[in-house]
Amino acid sequence: QVQLVESGGGLVQAGGSLRLSCAVSGRTFSSYVMGWFRQAPGKEREFVAAISWRRNWNDGTYYSDSVKGRFTISRDLAKNTVYLQMNSLKPEDTAVYYCAGDPSITAQTMAVSEDQVDYWGQGTQVTVSS
């Protein structure tokens, strides 16, 4: 049983920063694609960022256009943890952020097809005040 547990959410002013963490247990996740999605009130869940275990193009990281240049996804294999560093936060970044992981899809697939993702965390609230 794979479990993903997010932490690090909270309330921050616009322009501030937060770092989300996702601890993975139950499997060695070195070969998993890991990612972050978010869901704002009244909106569908959307892709934010993903990181592949393959370090090829762009160091294996992928971002939505709305966060590119402001958010950074990374992983610590020794700690079985994936991070999302969020800088220059905007009120429109307010959402519940979900960690996602899958052993058999690519990061590109995760970015466009969340239905194929096997594992999800419970979510952590991020609120950005103006």
Side-chain angles (χ1 to χ4, degrees):
Q1 183 80 13
V2 175
Q3 287 190 320
L4 310 180
V5 179
E6 303 98 333
S7 61
L11 173 64
V12 64
Q13 288 189 332
S17 299
L18 279 175
R19 188 177 80 156
L20 305 182
S21 300
C22 173
V24 183
S25 61
R27 286 287 188 274
T28 301
F29 86 135
S30 59
S31 62
Y32 277 47
V33 169
M34 300 299 299
W36 290 92
F37 289 73
R38 67 186 182 186
Q39 187 168 22
K43 295 187 177 181
E44 292 187 352
R45 189 161 57 188
E46 64 175 1
F47 169 78
V48 174
I51 186 166
S52 170
W53 63 275
R54 289 192 180 94
R55 289 186 173 271
N56 42 28
W57 180 79
N58 206 29
D59 205 26
T61 58
Y62 300 84
Y63 298 93
S64 69
D65 288 342
S66 61
V67 307
K68 200 174 296 182
R70 300 188 298 123
F71 291 11
T72 302
I73 188 170
S74 62
R75 65 198 300 171
D76 185 329
L77 296 180
K79 295 182 178 179
N80 265 18
T81 300
V82 62
Y83 303 98
L84 185 68
Q85 178 66 44
M86 304 185 295
N87 298 329
S88 302
L89 282 161
K90 305 175 182 180
E92 51 263 43
D93 294 318
T94 295
V96 177
Y97 283 71
Y98 297 91
C99 180
D102 197 281
S104 58
I105 63 174
T106 66
Q108 297 96 319
T109 298
M110 176 177 280
V112 299
S113 183
E114 66 169 78
D115 291 344
Q116 297 192 49
V117 176
D118 280 349
Y119 301 106
W120 295 90
Q122 82 287 351
T124 185
Q125 177 71 47
V126 171
T127 303
V128 184
S129 63
S130 56

